[in-house]
Amino acid sequence: MNRRPRRNRKSESIRNLVEETSLSVKDLIFPMFLVDGANKKIAIDSMPGIYRYSIDTMLGEIESCLNLGILAFDIFPAYPDSLKDTVASESYNPETFYLKALREIKKQFPEVCLMSDVAMDPYSSDGHDGLVKDGKILNDETLEILARMSLAQADAGVDIIGPSDMMDGRVGYIRELLDKSGFTDTSIMSYTAKYASVFYGPFRDALDSTPKFGDKKTYQMNPANSKEALIEGELDTEEGADFLMVKPALSYLDVIKLLNDRFSLPIAAYNVSGEYSMVKASVERGWIDNDRAMLEILLSMKRAGAKVILTYFAKEYAAYCKGR
Ligand code: PBG
């Protein structure tokens, strides 16, 4: 035998030399859930280890993450039904607890890279990401609401706006309003290829944001398609996105690779709630090793071409690296 690939695997030091992909805490964004009020830390049944925080306890949690080296956070608000309406008006009320919390986080920790979510669902009595009329999700009428929401978030000091709604044209529409309003430095991480996925279930439990009727298939992508991801990638690039995201990540590693091969913008992967919960459920049953599963999953996303990973494992991974 002339070729023996095992020679490059014979010791840890050699394996390290030939290792192609590496993962770092610097690649990660930690998604966190915010509720109104004070002194709250509420467990989410379907996401062991993940909580809904009020702003005071969230600041403490962010501080402990910073001590572990995590610098980027994506904050999602959970609103009570009493504050939801058909036009998501609470989303751009400057006194709403979400915007106040974003402001507070940037004030206390200016070094943090703060990302926000743009979509109507947390504030919508219909539970959809866009405006609903006669059972249909309206596209162009939704853009104005999304842009107002983005402007309010930019004004609160957010570094990266994250449109997760999948309306056509929203990146350009948001970019234009931000620029006109002087927020030329506010970035946009577009949810470029966001699939209509079962793996968002635990997230919707966390935010109580399940659609009140139907599903999201008229705006989120069909899991059978990858060419459509290229169309979305072209549009988002032209419209001024700074990052292209693929979501979920694990069942769409091919899409991550496809976008990374075709586009120069950094690719982000969203390791979503259901992907996290599947691991935690098997760990609880003693069927799988938590740390090794976490490492292999995150590494696979980087190997596929993601530069950035949004993951509920962020804090655990950082603690693992510290302890090693
Ligand atoms: C809402 C939104 C969702 C997620 C992020 N933003 C859920 C959805 O589209 O229904 C899912 C994140 C996760 O599952 O971790 N626009």
Side-chain angles (χ1 to χ4, degrees), residues 31 33 47 76 117-122 127 129 163-165 191 194-195 197 199-204 207 209 211 216 219-220 247 270-274 312:
F33 301 114
M47 300 182 75
F76 293 91
D117 188 60
V118 171
M120 284 179 63
D121 56 339
D129 294 14
S164 66
D165 54 280
Y191 287 60
K194 179 175 180 181
Y195 287 88
S197 171
F199 296 111
Y200 309 148
F203 174 98
R204 291 178 191 170
L207 295 195
S209 66
K216 298 192 173 184
Y219 45 106
Q220 298 182 349
K247 174 184 177 187
Y270 200 139
N271 178 207
V272 299
S273 57
Y312 302 97

Side-chain angles (χ1 to χ4, degrees), residues 191-245:
Y191 287 60
T192 297
K194 179 175 180 181
Y195 287 88
S197 171
V198 71
F199 296 111
Y200 309 148
F203 174 98
R204 291 178 191 170
D205 293 345
L207 295 195
D208 191 19
S209 66
T210 305
K212 296 292 186 297
F213 69 89
D215 52 41
K216 298 192 173 184
K217 289 183 187 166
T218 67
Y219 45 106
Q220 298 182 349
M221 285 173 50
N222 180 347
N225 296 350
S226 60
K227 284 177 80 173
E228 242 179 301
L230 293 175
I231 300 177
E232 293 285 1
E234 278 161 22
L235 291 171
D236 285 348
T237 302
E238 278 165 24
E239 291 175 34
D242 302 285
F243 298 82
L244 305 178
M245 186 205 290

Side-chain angles (χ1 to χ4, degrees), residues 77 188 289 305:
I188 298 178
D289 179 77

